[in-house]
């Protein structure tokens, strides 16, 4: 049986406005995601401000929640980096994509590969999409960047990653693995 949601939210709100960091996060999360006025501009602003207050006081969940609500900017990168550095897996993924695209952050292939490798250790992101993206990065880096940037080719690792994503049902990875196997790329030592 659930308790009294209305009363609990009022308690979270009072506690949040009295400076309790965890209450700030819980209250902002509720009004943004579930509250009766969740789609109103006023509620969005209240949730945004509450997430920012909690984020600025070090609440990791609020840091990433705030980051998701603000436009991509230097502030976005700053908060995203903090969340990623603190192991928030969704933030790591978003950060890796920024590194991949060169959006707001200069492309840094070495760091990007490290971030994607770390993502594979997190069960939530150890899925066919992540493996497919990582496989793309290894083959892209090996094919187009290795000679220019001094990055070593790793087709064998790319093939392994594509096969892993393929076994998880990623059809693009299946096609890429098939192409590599057909051409003999990654089958033997690079």
């Amino acid at each position: 049986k659930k308790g009294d949601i209305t009363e609990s939210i009022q308690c979270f709100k009072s506690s949040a406005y009295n400076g309790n960091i965890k209450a700030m996060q819980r209250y902002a999360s509720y009004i943004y995601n579930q509250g009766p006025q969740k789609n109103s501009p006023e509620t969005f602003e209240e949730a945004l401000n509450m997430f920012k207050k909690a984020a600025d006081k070090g609440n990791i969940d609020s840091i990433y929640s705030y980051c998701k609500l603000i436009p991509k900017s230097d502030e976005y990168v700053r908060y995203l980096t903090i969340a990623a550095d603190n192991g928030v897996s969704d933030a790591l993924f978003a950060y890796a994509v920024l590194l991949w695209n060169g959006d707001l952050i200069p492309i840094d292939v070495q760091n990007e590969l490290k971030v994607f490798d770390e993502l594979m250790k997190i069960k939530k992101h150890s899925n066919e999409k992540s493996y497919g993206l990582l496989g793309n990065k290894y083959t892209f880096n090996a094919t187009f960047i290795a000679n220019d940037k001094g990055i070593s080719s790793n087709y064998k690792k790319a093939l392994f990653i594509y096969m892993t994503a393929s076994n998880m049902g990623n059809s693009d990875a299946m096609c890429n693995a098939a192409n590599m196997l057909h051409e003999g790329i990654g089958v033997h030592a690079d």
Side-chain angles (χ1 to χ4, degrees):
K1 176 186 171 201
K2 289 205 175 209
D4 186 339
I5 299 294
T6 304
E7 187 175 351
S8 71
I9 296 308
Q10 286 305 316
C11 289
F12 279 131
K13 181 178 182 177
S14 294
S15 184
Y17 279 97
N18 281 305
N20 183 289
I21 299 167
K22 187 63 180 169
M24 289 176 190
Q25 187 273 328
R26 295 286 305 271
Y27 175 66
S29 183
Y30 175 78
I31 63 171
Y32 182 73
N33 294 307
Q34 301 169 354
Q37 303 293 320
K38 70 179 181 178
N39 293 321
S40 76
E42 296 82 18
T43 299
F44 175 82
E45 283 301 315
E46 185 178 15
L48 183 70
N49 291 332
M50 197 59 68
F51 278 133
K52 184 171 185 349
K53 283 180 184 177
D56 289 343
K57 292 179 183 253
N59 181 276
I60 301 304
D61 292 329
S62 293
I63 292 170
Y64 186 60
S65 294
Y66 176 69
C67 184
K68 291 187 301 185
L69 299 179
I70 62 175
K72 289 187 177 177
S73 62
D74 289 343
E75 181 181 29
Y76 170 83
V77 172
R78 185 167 39 91
Y79 281 92
L80 182 65
T81 303
I82 293 167
D85 287 346
N86 281 282
V88 177
S89 62
D90 288 339
L92 276 168
F93 190 82
Y95 185 75
V97 170
L98 281 181
L99 287 170
W100 173 319
N101 294 328
D103 293 342
L104 305 173
I105 301 174
I107 293 175
D108 180 347
V109 176
Q110 294 290 5
N111 190 27
E112 177 188 350
L113 291 174
K114 287 178 195 170
V115 171
F116 269 110
D117 282 336
E118 285 300 310
L119 278 171
M120 296 306 103
K121 296 174 187 171
I122 299 170
K123 186 174 177 111
K124 180 178 181 180
H125 287 291
S126 191
N127 60 42
E128 74 276 359
K129 181 179 177 186
S130 296
Y131 274 102
L133 289 171
L134 184 59
N136 287 343
K137 287 312 295 179
Y138 275 105
T139 55
F140 175 81
N141 292 343
T143 305
F144 299 105
I145 301 175
N147 296 332
D148 295 335
K149 305 287 183 186
I151 298 165
S152 60
S153 302
N154 199 338
Y155 292 118
K156 191 172 185 115
K157 187 166 187 173
L159 180 59
F160 170 79
I161 291 166
Y162 278 142
M163 293 299 289
T164 302
S166 175
N167 291 334
M168 294 174 157
N170 183 316
S171 62
D172 291 333
M174 286 178 199
C175 183
N176 291 337
N179 284 333
M180 290 181 78
L181 290 167
H182 184 266
E183 298 296 323
I185 300 170
V187 176
H188 306 289
D190 294 334

